[in-house]
Amino acid sequence: MSESQSHSATVAERPEGWNRPVLIQPSGDGELLEVAMGPHHPSTHGVFRMDVALDGERVIRLKPVFGYLHRNHEKIAEGISYLGSMPYTDRLDYICPITNNWAYALAVEKLTGQEVPERAEYLRVILGELTRFQNHASSIGFLIQEMGASGTPLMYAFREREKILDLFEKLTGARMMVNYMRFGGCRVDASPAWLDATRKVVAGLPQFVDEFDRLLSSNEILMARTQGVGVLKADLAVNAGVTGPMLRASGVNYDIRKVDGYGIYNRFNFRVPLGDHGDVYDRFMIRLLEMRESITILTQALKDIPSGPIMDPKARLRGFRPKPGEAYGRIEAPKGELGFYLISDGGPNPYRYRIRPPSLINLTVLEDMCLGHDVADVVLIFGSVDIVLGEVDR
Amino acid sequence: MVDEGLKIELGKQGIFVTTIEELYNWGRRNSVWPMQFGLACCAIEMIATTMARYDLARFGAEVFRPSPRQADLMIVSGTVTKKMAPQVVRLYNQMAEPRYVIAMGACAISGGPFKQGYNVLKGIDRYIPVDVHIPGCPPRPEALLQAFMTLQKKIDGQPLTGEDRPRHLNSEAQGVFPVPVQGEHDLEPTSNPGVWPVPVVIRS
Amino acid sequence: MKTVEEIKAAIEAAVPGAGVEIVMNPSVSGQHSLRLAPSCAIDVAKFLRDDAELALDFLSNVTGIDWPDKEITEKVKVTRPVSKTVEGVEKTVEEVVEETRKRLEPGCLEAVYHLYSVAKKFGPVVLRMRTIDRTDQVELPSLTPIWRSAEFQEREVFDLYGIVFTGHPDLRRLLMWDAFKDHPMRRDYREPDDFEYEPTAHDDVLKRAQEHQTPTGQPGSGAGQ
């Protein structure tokens, strides 16, 4: 496709420092006002701090500060077994626990070469797409709340999220921290009653997306505040390692579900929405369109799910010692590319356990997008990146 | 003290008998305004509690104030890391009395699943006094509602005079808690001995 | 789809004198890596990004690994002069004797880069670079000028492991506070002793917890006093 080719063809001829932020000169020679936005801040994304230097209302410099939720997941994982780390992966991106579990299970299956039975793959896809749906709905809800619409779209989004969390609770026993995936399959099988309940919920989702769309997409205030704000060009996005809806909003056709074809995603017929401008409005629209594509995948998966076992019969959960080696496995999580890099030395604990956090790497370009804008736009741009601090700091 | 039966009879006639203490505490407990203070995963369950399904507003927590000066309650929801701990204590110092703390989730009580971490503070009650602890990881929204009701019962039981009176009526009570400093290897001091007595284990 | 050998050949053709070697990966994943000598890393990285066929324009992941010093005990056959009596006469004879020797294999720190190609849609290509040792020679060239996504990840590797990336635009700690002195993810890091009563303590945790306990029958002062 010409879009994906053009961004890298001209990178070689760029001068040194093309991928650094373009600094702005302050007007006049007064002092800059330095504001620390965070770590305790009304925007609901968690404990994150941005040190901004302002010239009046314009942002001249922005430095993010991380580490306020650094919970040492990687160090703890070196001391417990492979399966013992599975509940910790739930707490990484705590709005989408299922996809975190899936990424870890996929990385371990790449390391050991285990096969996953078909029914388990379908269950993974169903739960993964339900997670993606409620994540995008919540993300849009939080973004609109930061814009000032104190709570109403968020209430609608959380109403659907509660329906989906009820399904998770019926199946796995927990609303949020489900701990559902295992190396070689899933933990619990879904009963026909659960599948019927899911079909009913999924049948009601298009109406919700239409309602959300009608409420928000052509809203005057939304369009005035988000169009042209926080523009990210495609070549900088690829060079900075940005993935997920943020990358596709800049026009780059890279969805790991289509590129890697992990699981059984190549059986489903779905489209990948792309944006034109790379601004906040595009990111919002991409998430809305991806919600519709998730519904498409869900209806197909719920129709075709076969019966069968849900765990690889050769899998051993006790005394699990993979052979020495390493593997990097990644999936298209709702926030971007979530990858796990595991090094095994033949023991029961991993030698090195590394998480590639999409939220942290998507924040690399936060400074680029915010320079020159007003401080009120910083909150919106930051909200459109859609981060979760549990993943940024691990 | 008026007999309960008499109170009810009078109440049917439109005459209410009460004590100043009951009235004072009734007003306080029905309008506890929490501070927006979500740290980690428990924050999402806290937000779900304020949403339409498990409405927290009907208990009096009508608005979540972003500023600590205007809030009565700090719900510490999520893991407190050593990098964040000085900020938590500073925010607590900035809240005006009467103020309460709910430690929501295993991480705020004692470090939770991340207890072995080098950057994890093993419980927020090492530096500030906590009124209600909610176990769970994360606790269900109903658990947060029950904790809220427990806090309301606690406020109901606070007398106006005497030994057990709350801090805001006691001029000798400690108002400002010392803020820990981030040292070279750890926080200094590691805990506040006035608030958290270090447990003594006697081996037999 | 290029194999590791083809990529190595392409690098050696484009960047003469590049020190590249293949590190095979024994696991089923088949993700073999290329170890680069730090002196040629920037040129190799520029070639990998700008080459028309490879077009590895996307740096996905930067990882730090700690390989601590290893004490290796091995049996070595050496020839030693030994005095023996041969036919009643004392002589010094050269004989082959087996002795056990202990040697310290110095450890190092390693940085691993996972590269993908968004334009050509393939990957991962894994690059590795090792420092000379773990104590004072811990510099590696930073690949941030070539791939911006390394900016925060290299800062994190510096914070948690101590590898100093030369050429990084802003090398400071990322996750720990600035006054912090240790590098926590290293294998020899000892966590600070926050006393916490541990109900089922064992091994190292039990030893530390015992230091805080009072002996039988005497109510004593608690920890740290």
mmCIF file with all atom_site columns, all heavy atoms in Angstrom, chain A residues 66-88:
data_model
loop_
_atom_site.group_PDB
_atom_site.id
_atom_site.type_symbol
_atom_site.label_atom_id
_atom_site.label_alt_id
_atom_site.label_comp_id
_atom_site.label_asym_id
_atom_site.label_entity_id
_atom_site.label_seq_id
_atom_site.pdbx_PDB_ins_code
_atom_site.Cartn_x
_atom_site.Cartn_y
_atom_site.Cartn_z
_atom_site.occupancy
_atom_site.B_iso_or_equiv
_atom_site.pdbx_formal_charge
_atom_site.auth_seq_id
_atom_site.auth_comp_id
_atom_site.auth_asym_id
_atom_site.auth_atom_id
_atom_site.pdbx_PDB_model_num
ATOM 1   N N   . PHE A 1 66 ? 7.497  9.492   35.215 1.00 0.00 ? 66 PHE A N   1
ATOM 2   C CA  . PHE A 1 66 ? 6.808  8.227   35.464 1.00 0.00 ? 66 PHE A CA  1
ATOM 3   C C   . PHE A 1 66 ? 7.243  7.659   36.800 1.00 0.00 ? 66 PHE A C   1
ATOM 4   O O   . PHE A 1 66 ? 8.006  8.241   37.532 1.00 0.00 ? 66 PHE A O   1
ATOM 5   C CB  . PHE A 1 66 ? 7.173  7.214   34.378 1.00 0.00 ? 66 PHE A CB  1
ATOM 6   C CG  . PHE A 1 66 ? 6.992  7.701   32.997 1.00 0.00 ? 66 PHE A CG  1
ATOM 7   C CD1 . PHE A 1 66 ? 8.062  8.200   32.278 1.00 0.00 ? 66 PHE A CD1 1
ATOM 8   C CD2 . PHE A 1 66 ? 5.758  7.657   32.395 1.00 0.00 ? 66 PHE A CD2 1
ATOM 9   C CE1 . PHE A 1 66 ? 7.897  8.645   30.989 1.00 0.00 ? 66 PHE A CE1 1
ATOM 10  C CE2 . PHE A 1 66 ? 5.594  8.099   31.105 1.00 0.00 ? 66 PHE A CE2 1
ATOM 11  C CZ  . PHE A 1 66 ? 6.667  8.596   30.401 1.00 0.00 ? 66 PHE A CZ  1
ATOM 12  N N   . GLY A 1 67 ? 6.771  6.486   37.075 1.00 0.00 ? 67 GLY A N   1
ATOM 13  C CA  . GLY A 1 67 ? 7.285  5.717   38.206 1.00 0.00 ? 67 GLY A CA  1
ATOM 14  C C   . GLY A 1 67 ? 6.439  5.799   39.450 1.00 0.00 ? 67 GLY A C   1
ATOM 15  O O   . GLY A 1 67 ? 6.780  5.187   40.452 1.00 0.00 ? 67 GLY A O   1
ATOM 16  N N   . TYR A 1 68 ? 5.319  6.532   39.412 1.00 0.00 ? 68 TYR A N   1
ATOM 17  C CA  . TYR A 1 68 ? 4.533  6.631   40.627 1.00 0.00 ? 68 TYR A CA  1
ATOM 18  C C   . TYR A 1 68 ? 3.729  5.375   40.896 1.00 0.00 ? 68 TYR A C   1
ATOM 19  O O   . TYR A 1 68 ? 3.141  5.235   41.965 1.00 0.00 ? 68 TYR A O   1
ATOM 20  C CB  . TYR A 1 68 ? 3.597  7.843   40.549 1.00 0.00 ? 68 TYR A CB  1
ATOM 21  C CG  . TYR A 1 68 ? 4.341  9.143   40.663 1.00 0.00 ? 68 TYR A CG  1
ATOM 22  C CD1 . TYR A 1 68 ? 4.657  9.883   39.536 1.00 0.00 ? 68 TYR A CD1 1
ATOM 23  C CD2 . TYR A 1 68 ? 4.761  9.617   41.892 1.00 0.00 ? 68 TYR A CD2 1
ATOM 24  C CE1 . TYR A 1 68 ? 5.347  11.060  39.632 1.00 0.00 ? 68 TYR A CE1 1
ATOM 25  C CE2 . TYR A 1 68 ? 5.451  10.800  42.000 1.00 0.00 ? 68 TYR A CE2 1
ATOM 26  C CZ  . TYR A 1 68 ? 5.747  11.512  40.872 1.00 0.00 ? 68 TYR A CZ  1
ATOM 27  O OH  . TYR A 1 68 ? 6.439  12.684  40.974 1.00 0.00 ? 68 TYR A OH  1
ATOM 28  N N   . LEU A 1 69 ? 3.672  4.457   39.912 1.00 0.00 ? 69 LEU A N   1
ATOM 29  C CA  . LEU A 1 69 ? 2.977  3.191   40.154 1.00 0.00 ? 69 LEU A CA  1
ATOM 30  C C   . LEU A 1 69 ? 3.901  2.031   39.807 1.00 0.00 ? 69 LEU A C   1
ATOM 31  O O   . LEU A 1 69 ? 3.455  0.955   39.413 1.00 0.00 ? 69 LEU A O   1
ATOM 32  C CB  . LEU A 1 69 ? 1.693  3.130   39.314 1.00 0.00 ? 69 LEU A CB  1
ATOM 33  C CG  . LEU A 1 69 ? 0.655  2.128   39.781 1.00 0.00 ? 69 LEU A CG  1
ATOM 34  C CD1 . LEU A 1 69 ? 0.203  2.422   41.168 1.00 0.00 ? 69 LEU A CD1 1
ATOM 35  C CD2 . LEU A 1 69 ? -0.508 2.120   38.825 1.00 0.00 ? 69 LEU A CD2 1
ATOM 36  N N   . HIS A 1 70 ? 5.192  2.223   39.985 1.00 0.00 ? 70 HIS A N   1
ATOM 37  C CA  . HIS A 1 70 ? 6.148  1.184   39.630 1.00 0.00 ? 70 HIS A CA  1
ATOM 38  C C   . HIS A 1 70 ? 6.094  0.100   40.685 1.00 0.00 ? 70 HIS A C   1
ATOM 39  O O   . HIS A 1 70 ? 6.586  0.277   41.800 1.00 0.00 ? 70 HIS A O   1
ATOM 40  C CB  . HIS A 1 70 ? 7.547  1.797   39.558 1.00 0.00 ? 70 HIS A CB  1
ATOM 41  C CG  . HIS A 1 70 ? 8.609  0.819   39.190 1.00 0.00 ? 70 HIS A CG  1
ATOM 42  N ND1 . HIS A 1 70 ? 8.488  -0.042  38.135 1.00 0.00 ? 70 HIS A ND1 1
ATOM 43  C CD2 . HIS A 1 70 ? 9.815  0.569   39.728 1.00 0.00 ? 70 HIS A CD2 1
ATOM 44  C CE1 . HIS A 1 70 ? 9.575  -0.778  38.039 1.00 0.00 ? 70 HIS A CE1 1
ATOM 45  N NE2 . HIS A 1 70 ? 10.401 -0.426  38.994 1.00 0.00 ? 70 HIS A NE2 1
ATOM 46  N N   . ARG A 1 71 ? 5.482  -1.028  40.330 1.00 0.00 ? 71 ARG A N   1
ATOM 47  C CA  . ARG A 1 71 ? 5.218  -2.057  41.315 1.00 0.00 ? 71 ARG A CA  1
ATOM 48  C C   . ARG A 1 71 ? 6.122  -3.259  41.176 1.00 0.00 ? 71 ARG A C   1
ATOM 49  O O   . ARG A 1 71 ? 5.838  -4.301  41.738 1.00 0.00 ? 71 ARG A O   1
ATOM 50  C CB  . ARG A 1 71 ? 3.758  -2.511  41.216 1.00 0.00 ? 71 ARG A CB  1
ATOM 51  C CG  . ARG A 1 71 ? 2.794  -1.405  41.569 1.00 0.00 ? 71 ARG A CG  1
ATOM 52  C CD  . ARG A 1 71 ? 1.394  -1.871  41.579 1.00 0.00 ? 71 ARG A CD  1
ATOM 53  N NE  . ARG A 1 71 ? 0.856  -2.003  40.259 1.00 0.00 ? 71 ARG A NE  1
ATOM 54  C CZ  . ARG A 1 71 ? -0.448 -2.100  40.002 1.00 0.00 ? 71 ARG A CZ  1
ATOM 55  N NH1 . ARG A 1 71 ? -1.295 -2.085  40.983 1.00 0.00 ? 71 ARG A NH1 1
ATOM 56  N NH2 . ARG A 1 71 ? -0.871 -2.225  38.772 1.00 0.00 ? 71 ARG A NH2 1
ATOM 57  N N   . ASN A 1 72 ? 7.176  -3.132  40.403 1.00 0.00 ? 72 ASN A N   1
ATOM 58  C CA  . ASN A 1 72 ? 8.219  -4.156  40.367 1.00 0.00 ? 72 ASN A CA  1
ATOM 59  C C   . ASN A 1 72 ? 7.707  -5.506  39.914 1.00 0.00 ? 72 ASN A C   1
ATOM 60  O O   . ASN A 1 72 ? 8.094  -6.537  40.439 1.00 0.00 ? 72 ASN A O   1
ATOM 61  C CB  . ASN A 1 72 ? 8.879  -4.342  41.730 1.00 0.00 ? 72 ASN A CB  1
ATOM 62  C CG  . ASN A 1 72 ? 8.950  -3.058  42.503 1.00 0.00 ? 72 ASN A CG  1
ATOM 63  O OD1 . ASN A 1 72 ? 8.593  -3.010  43.663 1.00 0.00 ? 72 ASN A OD1 1
ATOM 64  N ND2 . ASN A 1 72 ? 9.414  -2.022  41.872 1.00 0.00 ? 72 ASN A ND2 1
ATOM 65  N N   . HIS A 1 73 ? 6.823  -5.488  38.920 1.00 0.00 ? 73 HIS A N   1
ATOM 66  C CA  . HIS A 1 73 ? 6.267  -6.730  38.414 1.00 0.00 ? 73 HIS A CA  1
ATOM 67  C C   . HIS A 1 73 ? 7.372  -7.603  37.824 1.00 0.00 ? 73 HIS A C   1
ATOM 68  O O   . HIS A 1 73 ? 7.396  -8.808  38.029 1.00 0.00 ? 73 HIS A O   1
ATOM 69  C CB  . HIS A 1 73 ? 5.220  -6.366  37.355 1.00 0.00 ? 73 HIS A CB  1
ATOM 70  C CG  . HIS A 1 73 ? 4.583  -7.535  36.699 1.00 0.00 ? 73 HIS A CG  1
ATOM 71  N ND1 . HIS A 1 73 ? 3.710  -7.428  35.664 1.00 0.00 ? 73 HIS A ND1 1
ATOM 72  C CD2 . HIS A 1 73 ? 4.696  -8.853  36.917 1.00 0.00 ? 73 HIS A CD2 1
ATOM 73  C CE1 . HIS A 1 73 ? 3.324  -8.613  35.281 1.00 0.00 ? 73 HIS A CE1 1
ATOM 74  N NE2 . HIS A 1 73 ? 3.903  -9.495  36.020 1.00 0.00 ? 73 HIS A NE2 1
ATOM 75  N N   . GLU A 1 74 ? 8.331  -6.980  37.106 1.00 0.00 ? 74 GLU A N   1
ATOM 76  C CA  . GLU A 1 74 ? 9.353  -7.792  36.438 1.00 0.00 ? 74 GLU A CA  1
ATOM 77  C C   . GLU A 1 74 ? 10.274 -8.450  37.453 1.00 0.00 ? 74 GLU A C   1
ATOM 78  O O   . GLU A 1 74 ? 10.704 -9.588  37.261 1.00 0.00 ? 74 GLU A O   1
ATOM 79  C CB  . GLU A 1 74 ? 10.145 -6.914  35.472 1.00 0.00 ? 74 GLU A CB  1
ATOM 80  C CG  . GLU A 1 74 ? 9.282  -6.384  34.360 1.00 0.00 ? 74 GLU A CG  1
ATOM 81  C CD  . GLU A 1 74 ? 10.050 -5.549  33.361 1.00 0.00 ? 74 GLU A CD  1
ATOM 82  O OE1 . GLU A 1 74 ? 11.261 -5.371  33.533 1.00 0.00 ? 74 GLU A OE1 1
ATOM 83  O OE2 . GLU A 1 74 ? 9.421  -5.086  32.400 1.00 0.00 ? 74 GLU A OE2 1
ATOM 84  N N   . LYS A 1 75 ? 10.553 -7.738  38.535 1.00 0.00 ? 75 LYS A N   1
ATOM 85  C CA  . LYS A 1 75 ? 11.440 -8.342  39.538 1.00 0.00 ? 75 LYS A CA  1
ATOM 86  C C   . LYS A 1 75 ? 10.732 -9.464  40.284 1.00 0.00 ? 75 LYS A C   1
ATOM 87  O O   . LYS A 1 75 ? 11.297 -10.496 40.585 1.00 0.00 ? 75 LYS A O   1
ATOM 88  C CB  . LYS A 1 75 ? 11.869 -7.251  40.518 1.00 0.00 ? 75 LYS A CB  1
ATOM 89  C CG  . LYS A 1 75 ? 12.843 -7.685  41.556 1.00 0.00 ? 75 LYS A CG  1
ATOM 90  C CD  . LYS A 1 75 ? 14.249 -7.542  41.061 1.00 0.00 ? 75 LYS A CD  1
ATOM 91  C CE  . LYS A 1 75 ? 15.238 -8.009  42.074 1.00 0.00 ? 75 LYS A CE  1
ATOM 92  N NZ  . LYS A 1 75 ? 16.598 -7.912  41.619 1.00 0.00 ? 75 LYS A NZ  1
ATOM 93  N N   . ILE A 1 76 ? 9.440  -9.226  40.575 1.00 0.00 ? 76 ILE A N   1
ATOM 94  C CA  . ILE A 1 76 ? 8.681  -10.260 41.294 1.00 0.00 ? 76 ILE A CA  1
ATOM 95  C C   . ILE A 1 76 ? 8.574  -11.499 40.424 1.00 0.00 ? 76 ILE A C   1
ATOM 96  O O   . ILE A 1 76 ? 8.658  -12.631 40.903 1.00 0.00 ? 76 ILE A O   1
ATOM 97  C CB  . ILE A 1 76 ? 7.281  -9.710  41.661 1.00 0.00 ? 76 ILE A CB  1
ATOM 98  C CG1 . ILE A 1 76 ? 7.411  -8.617  42.703 1.00 0.00 ? 76 ILE A CG1 1
ATOM 99  C CG2 . ILE A 1 76 ? 6.390  -10.802 42.171 1.00 0.00 ? 76 ILE A CG2 1
ATOM 100 C CD1 . ILE A 1 76 ? 6.112  -7.951  43.032 1.00 0.00 ? 76 ILE A CD1 1
ATOM 101 N N   . ALA A 1 77 ? 8.419  -11.303 39.100 1.00 0.00 ? 77 ALA A N   1
ATOM 102 C CA  . ALA A 1 77 ? 8.238  -12.449 38.216 1.00 0.00 ? 77 ALA A CA  1
ATOM 103 C C   . ALA A 1 77 ? 9.474  -13.325 38.163 1.00 0.00 ? 77 ALA A C   1
ATOM 104 O O   . ALA A 1 77 ? 9.371  -14.517 37.871 1.00 0.00 ? 77 ALA A O   1
ATOM 105 C CB  . ALA A 1 77 ? 7.889  -11.978 36.808 1.00 0.00 ? 77 ALA A CB  1
ATOM 106 N N   . GLU A 1 78 ? 10.655 -12.740 38.439 1.00 0.00 ? 78 GLU A N   1
ATOM 107 C CA  . GLU A 1 78 ? 11.850 -13.584 38.428 1.00 0.00 ? 78 GLU A CA  1
ATOM 108 C C   . GLU A 1 78 ? 11.901 -14.499 39.631 1.00 0.00 ? 78 GLU A C   1
ATOM 109 O O   . GLU A 1 78 ? 12.700 -15.425 39.680 1.00 0.00 ? 78 GLU A O   1
ATOM 110 C CB  . GLU A 1 78 ? 13.107 -12.713 38.409 1.00 0.00 ? 78 GLU A CB  1
ATOM 111 C CG  . GLU A 1 78 ? 13.350 -12.091 37.062 1.00 0.00 ? 78 GLU A CG  1
ATOM 112 C CD  . GLU A 1 78 ? 14.511 -11.141 37.057 1.00 0.00 ? 78 GLU A CD  1
ATOM 113 O OE1 . GLU A 1 78 ? 15.239 -11.090 38.066 1.00 0.00 ? 78 GLU A OE1 1
ATOM 114 O OE2 . GLU A 1 78 ? 14.682 -10.454 36.056 1.00 0.00 ? 78 GLU A OE2 1
ATOM 115 N N   . GLY A 1 79 ? 11.047 -14.231 40.636 1.00 0.00 ? 79 GLY A N   1
ATOM 116 C CA  . GLY A 1 79 ? 11.086 -15.046 41.835 1.00 0.00 ? 79 GLY A CA  1
ATOM 117 C C   . GLY A 1 79 ? 9.962  -16.044 41.948 1.00 0.00 ? 79 GLY A C   1
ATOM 118 O O   . GLY A 1 79 ? 9.954  -16.869 42.853 1.00 0.00 ? 79 GLY A O   1
ATOM 119 N N   . ILE A 1 80 ? 8.982  -15.988 41.054 1.00 0.00 ? 80 ILE A N   1
ATOM 120 C CA  . ILE A 1 80 ? 7.886  -16.958 41.115 1.00 0.00 ? 80 ILE A CA  1
ATOM 121 C C   . ILE A 1 80 ? 7.806  -17.690 39.790 1.00 0.00 ? 80 ILE A C   1
ATOM 122 O O   . ILE A 1 80 ? 8.438  -17.306 38.824 1.00 0.00 ? 80 ILE A O   1
ATOM 123 C CB  . ILE A 1 80 ? 6.524  -16.300 41.416 1.00 0.00 ? 80 ILE A CB  1
ATOM 124 C CG1 . ILE A 1 80 ? 6.246  -15.152 40.467 1.00 0.00 ? 80 ILE A CG1 1
ATOM 125 C CG2 . ILE A 1 80 ? 6.479  -15.812 42.830 1.00 0.00 ? 80 ILE A CG2 1
ATOM 126 C CD1 . ILE A 1 80 ? 4.934  -14.520 40.727 1.00 0.00 ? 80 ILE A CD1 1
ATOM 127 N N   . SER A 1 81 ? 7.000  -18.724 39.771 1.00 0.00 ? 81 SER A N   1
ATOM 128 C CA  . SER A 1 81 ? 6.944  -19.579 38.593 1.00 0.00 ? 81 SER A CA  1
ATOM 129 C C   . SER A 1 81 ? 6.236  -18.854 37.447 1.00 0.00 ? 81 SER A C   1
ATOM 130 O O   . SER A 1 81 ? 5.675  -17.782 37.616 1.00 0.00 ? 81 SER A O   1
ATOM 131 C CB  . SER A 1 81 ? 6.212  -20.862 38.926 1.00 0.00 ? 81 SER A CB  1
ATOM 132 O OG  . SER A 1 81 ? 4.872  -20.560 39.232 1.00 0.00 ? 81 SER A OG  1
ATOM 133 N N   . TYR A 1 82 ? 6.264  -19.504 36.277 1.00 0.00 ? 82 TYR A N   1
ATOM 134 C CA  . TYR A 1 82 ? 5.624  -18.909 35.105 1.00 0.00 ? 82 TYR A CA  1
ATOM 135 C C   . TYR A 1 82 ? 4.137  -18.705 35.345 1.00 0.00 ? 82 TYR A C   1
ATOM 136 O O   . TYR A 1 82 ? 3.578  -17.653 35.074 1.00 0.00 ? 82 TYR A O   1
ATOM 137 C CB  . TYR A 1 82 ? 5.813  -19.822 33.892 1.00 0.00 ? 82 TYR A CB  1
ATOM 138 C CG  . TYR A 1 82 ? 7.192  -19.751 33.320 1.00 0.00 ? 82 TYR A CG  1
ATOM 139 C CD1 . TYR A 1 82 ? 8.209  -20.559 33.797 1.00 0.00 ? 82 TYR A CD1 1
ATOM 140 C CD2 . TYR A 1 82 ? 7.494  -18.871 32.292 1.00 0.00 ? 82 TYR A CD2 1
ATOM 141 C CE1 . TYR A 1 82 ? 9.480  -20.491 33.281 1.00 0.00 ? 82 TYR A CE1 1
ATOM 142 C CE2 . TYR A 1 82 ? 8.756  -18.802 31.769 1.00 0.00 ? 82 TYR A CE2 1
ATOM 143 C CZ  . TYR A 1 82 ? 9.743  -19.606 32.266 1.00 0.00 ? 82 TYR A CZ  1
ATOM 144 O OH  . TYR A 1 82 ? 11.002 -19.527 31.765 1.00 0.00 ? 82 TYR A OH  1
ATOM 145 N N   . LEU A 1 83 ? 3.478  -19.741 35.876 1.00 0.00 ? 83 LEU A N   1
ATOM 146 C CA  . LEU A 1 83 ? 2.036  -19.624 36.060 1.00 0.00 ? 83 LEU A CA  1
ATOM 147 C C   . LEU A 1 83 ? 1.727  -18.646 37.175 1.00 0.00 ? 83 LEU A C   1
ATOM 148 O O   . LEU A 1 83 ? 0.690  -17.999 37.169 1.00 0.00 ? 83 LEU A O   1
ATOM 149 C CB  . LEU A 1 83 ? 1.449  -21.000 36.375 1.00 0.00 ? 83 LEU A CB  1
ATOM 150 C CG  . LEU A 1 83 ? -0.067 -21.064 36.304 1.00 0.00 ? 83 LEU A CG  1
ATOM 151 C CD1 . LEU A 1 83 ? -0.531 -20.650 34.939 1.00 0.00 ? 83 LEU A CD1 1
ATOM 152 C CD2 . LEU A 1 83 ? -0.549 -22.469 36.607 1.00 0.00 ? 83 LEU A CD2 1
ATOM 153 N N   . GLY A 1 84 ? 2.631  -18.515 38.138 1.00 0.00 ? 84 GLY A N   1
ATOM 154 C CA  . GLY A 1 84 ? 2.404  -17.575 39.231 1.00 0.00 ? 84 GLY A CA  1
ATOM 155 C C   . GLY A 1 84 ? 2.364  -16.132 38.777 1.00 0.00 ? 84 GLY A C   1
ATOM 156 O O   . GLY A 1 84 ? 1.814  -15.288 39.465 1.00 0.00 ? 84 GLY A O   1
ATOM 157 N N   . SER A 1 85 ? 2.961  -15.849 37.607 1.00 0.00 ? 85 SER A N   1
ATOM 158 C CA  . SER A 1 85 ? 2.924  -14.472 37.119 1.00 0.00 ? 85 SER A CA  1
ATOM 159 C C   . SER A 1 85 ? 1.620  -14.138 36.433 1.00 0.00 ? 85 SER A C   1
ATOM 160 O O   . SER A 1 85 ? 1.375  -12.985 36.126 1.00 0.00 ? 85 SER A O   1
ATOM 161 C CB  . SER A 1 85 ? 4.022  -14.236 36.098 1.00 0.00 ? 85 SER A CB  1
ATOM 162 O OG  . SER A 1 85 ? 5.263  -14.364 36.657 1.00 0.00 ? 85 SER A OG  1
ATOM 163 N N   . MET A 1 86 ? 0.799  -15.120 36.153 1.00 0.00 ? 86 MET A N   1
ATOM 164 C CA  . MET A 1 86 ? -0.413 -14.855 35.388 1.00 0.00 ? 86 MET A CA  1
ATOM 165 C C   . MET A 1 86 ? -1.358 -13.894 36.114 1.00 0.00 ? 86 MET A C   1
ATOM 166 O O   . MET A 1 86 ? -1.879 -12.979 35.487 1.00 0.00 ? 86 MET A O   1
ATOM 167 C CB  . MET A 1 86 ? -1.102 -16.176 35.051 1.00 0.00 ? 86 MET A CB  1
ATOM 168 C CG  . MET A 1 86 ? -2.284 -16.066 34.128 1.00 0.00 ? 86 MET A CG  1
ATOM 169 S SD  . MET A 1 86 ? -1.861 -15.464 32.504 1.00 0.00 ? 86 MET A SD  1
ATOM 170 C CE  . MET A 1 86 ? -1.575 -16.978 31.621 1.00 0.00 ? 86 MET A CE  1
ATOM 171 N N   . PRO A 1 87 ? -1.591 -14.039 37.423 1.00 0.00 ? 87 PRO A N   1
ATOM 172 C CA  . PRO A 1 87 ? -2.464 -13.044 38.058 1.00 0.00 ? 87 PRO A CA  1
ATOM 173 C C   . PRO A 1 87 ? -1.854 -11.649 38.067 1.00 0.00 ? 87 PRO A C   1
ATOM 174 O O   . PRO A 1 87 ? -2.585 -10.659 38.083 1.00 0.00 ? 87 PRO A O   1
ATOM 175 C CB  . PRO A 1 87 ? -2.613 -13.554 39.496 1.00 0.00 ? 87 PRO A CB  1
ATOM 176 C CG  . PRO A 1 87 ? -2.243 -14.971 39.456 1.00 0.00 ? 87 PRO A CG  1
ATOM 177 C CD  . PRO A 1 87 ? -1.264 -15.118 38.356 1.00 0.00 ? 87 PRO A CD  1
ATOM 178 N N   . TYR A 1 88 ? -0.507 -11.553 38.045 1.00 0.00 ? 88 TYR A N   1
ATOM 179 C CA  . TYR A 1 88 ? 0.087  -10.222 38.006 1.00 0.00 ? 88 TYR A CA  1
ATOM 180 C C   . TYR A 1 88 ? -0.143 -9.543  36.665 1.00 0.00 ? 88 TYR A C   1
ATOM 181 O O   . TYR A 1 88 ? -0.211 -8.319  36.599 1.00 0.00 ? 88 TYR A O   1
ATOM 182 C CB  . TYR A 1 88 ? 1.590  -10.308 38.300 1.00 0.00 ? 88 TYR A CB  1
ATOM 183 C CG  . TYR A 1 88 ? 1.915  -10.577 39.737 1.00 0.00 ? 88 TYR A CG  1
ATOM 184 C CD1 . TYR A 1 88 ? 2.072  -11.877 40.209 1.00 0.00 ? 88 TYR A CD1 1
ATOM 185 C CD2 . TYR A 1 88 ? 2.078  -9.542  40.639 1.00 0.00 ? 88 TYR A CD2 1
ATOM 186 C CE1 . TYR A 1 88 ? 2.375  -12.118 41.526 1.00 0.00 ? 88 TYR A CE1 1
ATOM 187 C CE2 . TYR A 1 88 ? 2.382  -9.785  41.965 1.00 0.00 ? 88 TYR A CE2 1
ATOM 188 C CZ  . TYR A 1 88 ? 2.530  -11.064 42.397 1.00 0.00 ? 88 TYR A CZ  1
ATOM 189 O OH  . TYR A 1 88 ? 2.828  -11.306 43.708 1.00 0.00 ? 88 TYR A OH  1
#
